[in-house]
Amino acid sequence: MGKGLRPALENNFMSEKYLTGKVALVTGASRGLGKAIAVALAREGAAIAAVARSEEALKETLEAIRAAGGTAEPFAGDVSDNAAMDALVEKVTARFEHIDVLVNNAGVTRDGLLARMTSEAWDTVINTNLKGAFNLTRPVGRLMVRQRAGRIVNISSVIGLMGNAGQANYAASKAGLIGFSKSVAREFASRGITCNVVCPGFIETDMTKELNADMRTKLMERIPLQRFGQAEDIAGVVAFLCSPAASYITGQILTVDGGMVM
Ligand code: NAP
């Protein structure tokens, strides 16, 4: 590396916190991936608007961020409720004035074979995982368009790429999120807004801890890197997509799965 380059790189990517003065709204921030994403973005200087269904559930996330000197506020709401999300975005802007980063991470599973899948199980998953992203991207997108800047990251899944027996609702929601994100990326590109998708593989969180030993062994056989992912593996990629280094990346799917899908 040329002599003059190293200090420049260190200034840009290592010493400066690139989200200082920015506000990031993260859904599903009470635990798992959302919590790790909120902490990672706060570490880069962003003030965090943390969303989950109850303020109580967000306590640990807020404490972790505040203990490290960061700023975070709780905003309770159900992402599947369109009117509630419009109101929530208004509350966030009343508190923070702007929203620069949106991470649509909240998600649920209601697994079951299609023949026995209830309409309720279908609706809950689609309304949370897919409509939830619409419910927030529309009002936040309007703000970002006015700001002529913004980063949107949607958390899909390798299941949205591959499908999975017993997860038709979940796979449909996660595949839908990919088409949604590419459309948003095209609509908003001229306003300096990027929209990308992260597809996690098998990550150790509450969502995956129900899997029995046999299923875990079978899964591990399909992971070339021979380990399950940690929430921080996803959080780091989301932070990268919100960094200056990713300013020319939009409409892309980053699969973070230890090589499972390639
Ligand atoms: P998790 O531990 O079960 O956490 C889910 C989060 O979503 C919680 O914070 C939960 O908050 C929130 N949430 C659920 N329904 C909500 C709603 N209606 N309104 C607002 N918030 C809601 O899950 P995770 O493993 O961290 O997964 C996070 C995301 O990554 C999901 O979209 C999931 O599909 C995706 N993903 C995970 C994996 C994995 O291996 N873990 C793999 C691929 C993709 P409250 O319950 O406190 O409201």
Side-chain angles (χ1 to χ4, degrees):
M1 187 186 293
K3 222 179 168 189
L5 264 179
R6 189 175 292 278
L9 277 180
E10 280 173 3
N11 280 344
N12 285 343
F13 300 119
M14 293 170 80
S15 10
E16 271 177 24
K17 292 184 171 189
Y18 53 77
L19 292 175
T20 300
K22 307 285 188 202
V23 177
L25 191 162
V26 181
T27 70
S30 57
R31 56 181 190 271
L33 305 190
K35 181 181 177 196
I37 291 165
V39 168
L41 297 179
R43 198 176 292 131
E44 291 305 336
I48 305 298
V51 177
R53 282 168 291 191
S54 74
E55 281 201 20
E56 182 59 25
L58 289 162
K59 229 173 119 197
E60 267 186 37
T61 305
L62 302 184
E63 278 169 11
I65 292 171
R66 289 170 182 165
T71 302
E73 296 291 341
F75 294 89
D78 184 334
V79 297
S80 68
D81 182 336
N82 183 268
M85 288 305 103
D86 280 344
L88 185 144
V89 169
E90 275 184 26
K91 277 189 210 146
V92 174
T93 47
R95 167 66 181 83
F96 289 119
E97 289 179 18
H98 47 101
I99 300 173
D100 308 282
V101 170
L102 168 64
V103 183
N104 287 306
N105 163 79
V108 291
T109 52
R110 294 284 184 280
D111 296 352
L113 293 173
L114 186 67
R116 284 198 290 269
M117 186 174 285
T118 63
S119 169
E120 188 273 334
W122 175 269
D123 288 346
T124 301
V125 170
I126 299 291
N127 288 342
T128 306
N129 301 6
L130 182 55
K131 190 174 180 212
F134 161 74
N135 287 341
L136 278 154
T137 306
R138 188 175 58 171
V140 174
R142 284 185 190 132
L143 291 172
M144 288 177 170
V145 164
R146 281 205 293 277
Q147 291 165 193
R148 302 190 81 81
R151 299 287 171 99
I152 302 169
V153 181
N154 293 327
I155 308 300
S156 175
S157 168
V158 289
I159 302 303
L161 301 171
M162 302 165 22
N164 196 22
Q167 290 198 304
N169 50 359
Y170 185 75
S173 73
K174 294 301 187 179
L177 206 46
I178 291 171
F180 173 73
S181 304
K182 289 185 178 182
S183 305
V184 169
R186 288 184 187 278
E187 277 190 35
F188 289 172
S190 65
R191 312 302 168 98
I193 300 160
T194 68
C195 179
N196 291 290
V197 182
V198 175
C199 284
F202 182 94
I203 315 296
E204 305 261 23
T205 68
D206 287 354
M207 191 176 266
T208 45
K209 76 176 178 203
E210 304 301 326
L211 293 178
N212 63 38
D214 186 41
M215 286 162 95
R216 291 172 79 91
T217 309
K218 283 202 179 107
L219 262 168
M220 188 67 94
E221 282 165 7
R222 295 166 54 193
I223 305 174
L225 284 179
Q226 283 295 290
R227 68 172 177 88
F228 298 132
Q230 299 300 312
E232 289 68 27
D233 291 319
I234 304 302
V237 174
V238 174
F240 161 70
L241 287 170
C242 298
S243 77
S247 63
Y248 201 51
I249 300 176
T250 197
Q252 299 306 304
I253 304 164
L254 270 94
T255 306
V256 185
D257 66 348
M260 227 170 123
V261 180
M262 64 166 94

Short mmCIF file of all heavy atoms in Angstrom, two decimals, residues 91-137:
data_model
loop_
_atom_site.label_atom_id
_atom_site.label_comp_id
_atom_site.label_asym_id
_atom_site.label_seq_id
_atom_site.Cartn_x
_atom_site.Cartn_y
_atom_site.Cartn_z
N LYS A 91 -43.87 9.45 15.50
CA LYS A 91 -43.28 9.58 16.85
C LYS A 91 -41.75 9.60 16.77
O LYS A 91 -41.09 10.35 17.48
CB LYS A 91 -43.72 8.40 17.72
CG LYS A 91 -45.07 8.59 18.35
CD LYS A 91 -45.33 7.48 19.38
CE LYS A 91 -46.81 7.20 19.47
NZ LYS A 91 -47.16 5.82 19.73
N VAL A 92 -41.19 8.77 15.90
CA VAL A 92 -39.72 8.72 15.78
C VAL A 92 -39.20 10.05 15.26
O VAL A 92 -38.21 10.60 15.77
CB VAL A 92 -39.27 7.56 14.84
CG1 VAL A 92 -37.76 7.61 14.61
CG2 VAL A 92 -39.67 6.21 15.43
N THR A 93 -39.89 10.63 14.27
CA THR A 93 -39.40 11.90 13.72
C THR A 93 -39.63 13.05 14.70
O THR A 93 -38.86 14.01 14.73
CB THR A 93 -40.03 12.23 12.34
OG1 THR A 93 -41.43 12.02 12.43
CG2 THR A 93 -39.47 11.35 11.25
N ALA A 94 -40.70 12.94 15.52
CA ALA A 94 -40.91 13.98 16.55
C ALA A 94 -39.73 13.96 17.54
O ALA A 94 -39.30 14.99 18.03
CB ALA A 94 -42.22 13.73 17.28
N ARG A 95 -39.20 12.76 17.80
CA ARG A 95 -38.10 12.63 18.76
C ARG A 95 -36.75 12.93 18.11
O ARG A 95 -35.90 13.61 18.68
CB ARG A 95 -38.12 11.21 19.34
CG ARG A 95 -36.88 10.78 20.13
CD ARG A 95 -36.71 11.57 21.41
NE ARG A 95 -35.51 11.16 22.14
CZ ARG A 95 -34.29 11.60 21.89
NH1 ARG A 95 -34.08 12.47 20.90
NH2 ARG A 95 -33.27 11.17 22.60
N PHE A 96 -36.53 12.40 16.88
CA PHE A 96 -35.18 12.47 16.28
C PHE A 96 -35.09 13.36 15.03
O PHE A 96 -34.01 13.50 14.46
CB PHE A 96 -34.71 11.07 15.89
CG PHE A 96 -34.36 10.18 17.05
CD1 PHE A 96 -35.03 8.98 17.28
CD2 PHE A 96 -33.32 10.51 17.92
CE1 PHE A 96 -34.69 8.15 18.34
CE2 PHE A 96 -32.96 9.68 18.97
CZ PHE A 96 -33.67 8.50 19.18
N GLU A 97 -36.21 13.85 14.54
CA GLU A 97 -36.28 14.73 13.35
C GLU A 97 -36.10 14.04 12.00
O GLU A 97 -36.74 14.38 11.04
CB GLU A 97 -35.29 15.90 13.46
CG GLU A 97 -35.74 16.89 14.52
CD GLU A 97 -34.80 18.06 14.69
OE1 GLU A 97 -33.98 18.32 13.79
OE2 GLU A 97 -34.91 18.69 15.75
N HIS A 98 -35.17 13.11 11.91
CA HIS A 98 -34.98 12.43 10.63
C HIS A 98 -34.73 10.94 10.84
O HIS A 98 -34.44 10.51 11.97
CB HIS A 98 -33.83 13.06 9.82
CG HIS A 98 -32.60 13.28 10.64
ND1 HIS A 98 -31.52 12.45 10.61
CD2 HIS A 98 -32.27 14.26 11.52
CE1 HIS A 98 -30.59 12.90 11.44
NE2 HIS A 98 -31.01 14.00 12.01
N ILE A 99 -34.85 10.17 9.76
CA ILE A 99 -34.51 8.74 9.81
C ILE A 99 -33.62 8.48 8.58
O ILE A 99 -34.01 8.75 7.45
CB ILE A 99 -35.77 7.84 9.75
CG1 ILE A 99 -36.70 8.14 10.95
CG2 ILE A 99 -35.37 6.36 9.75
CD1 ILE A 99 -38.05 7.43 10.88
N ASP A 100 -32.42 8.00 8.85
CA ASP A 100 -31.43 7.84 7.77
C ASP A 100 -31.24 6.39 7.36
O ASP A 100 -30.78 6.11 6.25
CB ASP A 100 -30.10 8.44 8.23
CG ASP A 100 -30.29 9.86 8.74
OD1 ASP A 100 -30.42 10.76 7.90
OD2 ASP A 100 -30.37 10.05 9.97
N VAL A 101 -31.52 5.49 8.31
CA VAL A 101 -31.35 4.06 8.05
C VAL A 101 -32.61 3.34 8.52
O VAL A 101 -33.12 3.62 9.60
CB VAL A 101 -30.13 3.51 8.85
CG1 VAL A 101 -30.09 1.98 8.80
CG2 VAL A 101 -28.82 4.11 8.35
N LEU A 102 -33.12 2.44 7.67
CA LEU A 102 -34.25 1.60 8.07
C LEU A 102 -33.84 0.14 7.91
O LEU A 102 -33.41 -0.27 6.82
CB LEU A 102 -35.48 1.88 7.19
CG LEU A 102 -36.64 0.88 7.31
CD1 LEU A 102 -37.25 0.90 8.71
CD2 LEU A 102 -37.72 1.19 6.26
N VAL A 103 -33.95 -0.63 8.99
CA VAL A 103 -33.68 -2.07 8.89
C VAL A 103 -34.97 -2.82 9.22
O VAL A 103 -35.45 -2.80 10.36
CB VAL A 103 -32.54 -2.51 9.85
CG1 VAL A 103 -32.25 -4.00 9.65
CG2 VAL A 103 -31.28 -1.69 9.63
N ASN A 104 -35.56 -3.42 8.20
CA ASN A 104 -36.77 -4.24 8.38
C ASN A 104 -36.32 -5.66 8.73
O ASN A 104 -35.97 -6.45 7.86
CB ASN A 104 -37.60 -4.25 7.10
CG ASN A 104 -38.31 -2.93 6.87
OD1 ASN A 104 -39.02 -2.44 7.74
ND2 ASN A 104 -38.09 -2.33 5.70
N ASN A 105 -36.30 -5.92 10.03
CA ASN A 105 -35.77 -7.20 10.53
C ASN A 105 -36.82 -8.06 11.23
O ASN A 105 -36.69 -9.28 11.27
CB ASN A 105 -34.60 -6.90 11.48
CG ASN A 105 -34.25 -8.09 12.35
OD1 ASN A 105 -33.59 -9.03 11.91
ND2 ASN A 105 -34.74 -8.10 13.60
N ALA A 106 -37.89 -7.43 11.76
CA ALA A 106 -38.88 -8.19 12.54
C ALA A 106 -39.42 -9.34 11.71
O ALA A 106 -39.75 -9.16 10.53
CB ALA A 106 -40.02 -7.28 12.98
N GLY A 107 -39.50 -10.51 12.31
CA GLY A 107 -40.00 -11.65 11.57
C GLY A 107 -40.46 -12.76 12.49
O GLY A 107 -40.02 -12.85 13.64
N VAL A 108 -41.37 -13.59 11.99
CA VAL A 108 -41.88 -14.72 12.76
C VAL A 108 -41.98 -15.96 11.86
O VAL A 108 -41.96 -15.85 10.63
CB VAL A 108 -43.28 -14.45 13.35
CG1 VAL A 108 -43.24 -13.40 14.44
CG2 VAL A 108 -44.28 -14.04 12.26
N THR A 109 -42.08 -17.11 12.49
CA THR A 109 -42.37 -18.36 11.76
C THR A 109 -43.64 -18.97 12.35
O THR A 109 -43.92 -18.80 13.53
CB THR A 109 -41.23 -19.40 11.92
OG1 THR A 109 -40.96 -19.56 13.31
CG2 THR A 109 -39.96 -18.97 11.21
N ARG A 110 -44.41 -19.64 11.52
CA ARG A 110 -45.54 -20.49 11.96
C ARG A 110 -45.48 -21.70 11.04
O ARG A 110 -46.19 -21.78 10.05
CB ARG A 110 -46.90 -19.78 11.77
CG ARG A 110 -47.15 -18.59 12.62
CD ARG A 110 -47.50 -18.95 14.09
NE ARG A 110 -47.82 -17.75 14.83
CZ ARG A 110 -46.92 -16.88 15.35
NH1 ARG A 110 -45.64 -17.12 15.21
NH2 ARG A 110 -47.32 -15.83 16.01
N ASP A 111 -44.54 -22.60 11.36
CA ASP A 111 -44.25 -23.71 10.44
C ASP A 111 -45.33 -24.78 10.43
O ASP A 111 -46.01 -25.01 11.44
CB ASP A 111 -42.92 -24.37 10.84
CG ASP A 111 -41.73 -23.42 10.70
OD1 ASP A 111 -41.92 -22.31 10.15
OD2 ASP A 111 -40.62 -23.79 11.12
N GLY A 112 -45.46 -25.45 9.31
CA GLY A 112 -46.39 -26.57 9.17
C GLY A 112 -46.49 -26.94 7.71
O GLY A 112 -46.30 -26.09 6.83
N LEU A 113 -46.76 -28.22 7.45
CA LEU A 113 -46.91 -28.65 6.06
C LEU A 113 -48.12 -27.96 5.43
O LEU A 113 -49.11 -27.69 6.11
CB LEU A 113 -47.05 -30.17 5.99
CG LEU A 113 -45.78 -30.93 6.41
CD1 LEU A 113 -46.05 -32.42 6.48
CD2 LEU A 113 -44.61 -30.62 5.47
N LEU A 114 -48.02 -27.68 4.16
CA LEU A 114 -49.04 -26.88 3.47
C LEU A 114 -50.45 -27.44 3.64
O LEU A 114 -51.40 -26.69 3.89
CB LEU A 114 -48.70 -26.77 1.98
CG LEU A 114 -49.61 -25.84 1.21
CD1 LEU A 114 -49.45 -24.39 1.66
CD2 LEU A 114 -49.38 -25.96 -0.28
N ALA A 115 -50.58 -28.76 3.53
CA ALA A 115 -51.90 -29.38 3.61
C ALA A 115 -52.59 -29.07 4.93
O ALA A 115 -53.82 -29.07 5.00
CB ALA A 115 -51.78 -30.89 3.42
N ARG A 116 -51.78 -28.81 5.96
CA ARG A 116 -52.38 -28.57 7.28
C ARG A 116 -52.21 -27.12 7.73
O ARG A 116 -52.60 -26.76 8.84
CB ARG A 116 -51.74 -29.50 8.31
CG ARG A 116 -52.23 -30.93 8.21
CD ARG A 116 -51.93 -31.70 9.48
NE ARG A 116 -50.49 -31.96 9.62
CZ ARG A 116 -49.88 -33.05 9.17
NH1 ARG A 116 -50.56 -33.97 8.54
NH2 ARG A 116 -48.59 -33.21 9.33
N MET A 117 -51.64 -26.28 6.86
CA MET A 117 -51.37 -24.90 7.28
C MET A 117 -52.68 -24.11 7.40
O MET A 117 -53.49 -24.10 6.47
CB MET A 117 -50.44 -24.22 6.27
CG MET A 117 -50.00 -22.82 6.71
SD MET A 117 -48.77 -22.15 5.59
CE MET A 117 -47.32 -23.09 6.06
N THR A 118 -52.85 -23.45 8.54
CA THR A 118 -54.07 -22.66 8.71
C THR A 118 -53.92 -21.32 8.00
O THR A 118 -52.81 -20.83 7.78
CB THR A 118 -54.36 -22.39 10.20
OG1 THR A 118 -53.28 -21.60 10.72
CG2 THR A 118 -54.49 -23.68 11.00
N SER A 119 -55.06 -20.77 7.68
CA SER A 119 -55.08 -19.46 7.05
C SER A 119 -54.47 -18.42 8.01
O SER A 119 -53.78 -17.49 7.58
CB SER A 119 -56.53 -19.15 6.72
OG SER A 119 -56.70 -17.85 6.36
N GLU A 120 -54.69 -18.62 9.30
CA GLU A 120 -54.14 -17.71 10.31
C GLU A 120 -52.60 -17.76 10.30
O GLU A 120 -51.94 -16.72 10.38
CB GLU A 120 -54.71 -18.10 11.69
CG GLU A 120 -54.40 -17.14 12.82
CD GLU A 120 -53.07 -17.42 13.50
OE1 GLU A 120 -52.61 -18.58 13.47
OE2 GLU A 120 -52.48 -16.45 14.04
N ALA A 121 -52.05 -18.98 10.17
CA ALA A 121 -50.58 -19.13 10.14
C ALA A 121 -50.00 -18.46 8.90
O ALA A 121 -48.93 -17.85 8.94
CB ALA A 121 -50.20 -20.60 10.18
N TRP A 122 -50.72 -18.57 7.79
CA TRP A 122 -50.28 -17.91 6.55
C TRP A 122 -50.28 -16.39 6.74
O TRP A 122 -49.29 -15.70 6.49
CB TRP A 122 -51.20 -18.32 5.38
CG TRP A 122 -50.88 -17.59 4.12
CD1 TRP A 122 -51.42 -16.41 3.70
CD2 TRP A 122 -49.90 -17.96 3.12
NE1 TRP A 122 -50.86 -16.02 2.50
CE2 TRP A 122 -49.92 -16.95 2.13
CE3 TRP A 122 -49.02 -19.04 2.97
CZ2 TRP A 122 -49.09 -17.00 1.00
CZ3 TRP A 122 -48.20 -19.08 1.84
CH2 TRP A 122 -48.24 -18.07 0.88
N ASP A 123 -51.44 -15.87 7.20
CA ASP A 123 -51.61 -14.41 7.32
C ASP A 123 -50.61 -13.80 8.31
O ASP A 123 -50.03 -12.74 8.04
CB ASP A 123 -53.03 -14.06 7.78
CG ASP A 123 -54.06 -14.30 6.68
OD1 ASP A 123 -53.65 -14.46 5.51
OD2 ASP A 123 -55.27 -14.33 6.98
N THR A 124 -50.41 -14.46 9.45
CA THR A 124 -49.51 -13.90 10.46
C THR A 124 -48.11 -13.71 9.90
O THR A 124 -47.48 -12.67 10.08
CB THR A 124 -49.46 -14.83 11.70
OG1 THR A 124 -50.78 -14.96 12.22
CG2 THR A 124 -48.54 -14.28 12.78
N VAL A 125 -47.64 -14.73 9.18
CA VAL A 125 -46.26 -14.68 8.67
C VAL A 125 -46.13 -13.66 7.53
O VAL A 125 -45.20 -12.85 7.52
CB VAL A 125 -45.80 -16.10 8.23
CG1 VAL A 125 -44.50 -16.05 7.47
CG2 VAL A 125 -45.66 -16.98 9.47
N ILE A 126 -47.09 -13.67 6.61
CA ILE A 126 -47.02 -12.72 5.49
C ILE A 126 -47.19 -11.28 6.02
O ILE A 126 -46.45 -10.36 5.62
CB ILE A 126 -48.10 -13.01 4.42
CG1 ILE A 126 -47.91 -14.41 3.83
CG2 ILE A 126 -48.11 -11.93 3.34
CD1 ILE A 126 -46.69 -14.61 2.95
N ASN A 127 -48.11 -11.10 6.94
CA ASN A 127 -48.40 -9.74 7.43
C ASN A 127 -47.25 -9.17 8.27
O ASN A 127 -47.02 -7.97 8.28
CB ASN A 127 -49.69 -9.70 8.24
CG ASN A 127 -50.91 -9.87 7.35
OD1 ASN A 127 -50.82 -9.67 6.13
ND2 ASN A 127 -52.02 -10.25 7.92
N THR A 128 -46.54 -10.04 8.97
CA THR A 128 -45.41 -9.56 9.78
C THR A 128 -44.17 -9.39 8.90
O THR A 128 -43.57 -8.32 8.85
CB THR A 128 -45.10 -10.57 10.92
OG1 THR A 128 -46.29 -10.81 11.67
CG2 THR A 128 -44.01 -10.03 11.83
N ASN A 129 -43.78 -10.44 8.20
CA ASN A 129 -42.49 -10.45 7.50
C ASN A 129 -42.50 -9.61 6.23
O ASN A 129 -41.49 -8.98 5.90
CB ASN A 129 -42.10 -11.88 7.13
CG ASN A 129 -42.00 -12.80 8.34
OD1 ASN A 129 -42.33 -12.41 9.46
ND2 ASN A 129 -41.57 -14.02 8.12
N LEU A 130 -43.61 -9.62 5.49
CA LEU A 130 -43.63 -8.92 4.20
C LEU A 130 -44.39 -7.60 4.28
O LEU A 130 -43.85 -6.54 3.97
CB LEU A 130 -44.25 -9.84 3.13
CG LEU A 130 -44.32 -9.29 1.71
CD1 LEU A 130 -42.95 -8.85 1.21
CD2 LEU A 130 -44.91 -10.34 0.76
N LYS A 131 -45.64 -7.67 4.77
CA LYS A 131 -46.40 -6.42 4.85
C LYS A 131 -45.76 -5.47 5.87
O LYS A 131 -45.80 -4.25 5.71
CB LYS A 131 -47.86 -6.70 5.22
CG LYS A 131 -48.72 -5.46 5.08
CD LYS A 131 -50.19 -5.70 5.28
CE LYS A 131 -50.93 -4.37 5.12
NZ LYS A 131 -52.11 -4.31 5.98
N GLY A 132 -45.13 -6.05 6.90
CA GLY A 132 -44.44 -5.22 7.90
C GLY A 132 -43.39 -4.33 7.24
O GLY A 132 -43.24 -3.15 7.58
N ALA A 133 -42.66 -4.89 6.28
CA ALA A 133 -41.63 -4.11 5.58
C ALA A 133 -42.28 -3.00 4.75
O ALA A 133 -41.80 -1.86 4.71
CB ALA A 133 -40.79 -5.02 4.69
N PHE A 134 -43.40 -3.31 4.09
CA PHE A 134 -44.14 -2.28 3.35
C PHE A 134 -44.62 -1.18 4.30
O PHE A 134 -44.47 0.01 4.02
CB PHE A 134 -45.35 -2.93 2.64
CG PHE A 134 -46.41 -1.94 2.23
CD1 PHE A 134 -46.21 -1.09 1.14
CD2 PHE A 134 -47.61 -1.86 2.92
CE1 PHE A 134 -47.20 -0.17 0.77
CE2 PHE A 134 -48.59 -0.94 2.56
CZ PHE A 134 -48.38 -0.10 1.48
N ASN A 135 -45.18 -1.60 5.44
CA ASN A 135 -45.76 -0.64 6.39
C ASN A 135 -44.75 0.39 6.87
O ASN A 135 -45.12 1.53 7.17
CB ASN A 135 -46.35 -1.38 7.60
CG ASN A 135 -47.64 -2.12 7.25
OD1 ASN A 135 -48.27 -1.82 6.24
ND2 ASN A 135 -48.01 -3.08 8.07
N LEU A 136 -43.47 0.00 6.96
CA LEU A 136 -42.45 0.95 7.41
C LEU A 136 -41.72 1.63 6.26
O LEU A 136 -41.37 2.81 6.34
CB LEU A 136 -41.45 0.26 8.33
CG LEU A 136 -42.01 0.18 9.76
CD1 LEU A 136 -41.41 -0.96 10.52
CD2 LEU A 136 -41.82 1.51 10.49
N THR A 137 -41.51 0.89 5.17
CA THR A 137 -40.72 1.46 4.07
C THR A 137 -41.48 2.62 3.40
O THR A 137 -40.87 3.58 2.95
CB THR A 137 -40.38 0.37 3.03
OG1 THR A 137 -39.75 -0.71 3.72
CG2 THR A 137 -39.44 0.89 1.96
#
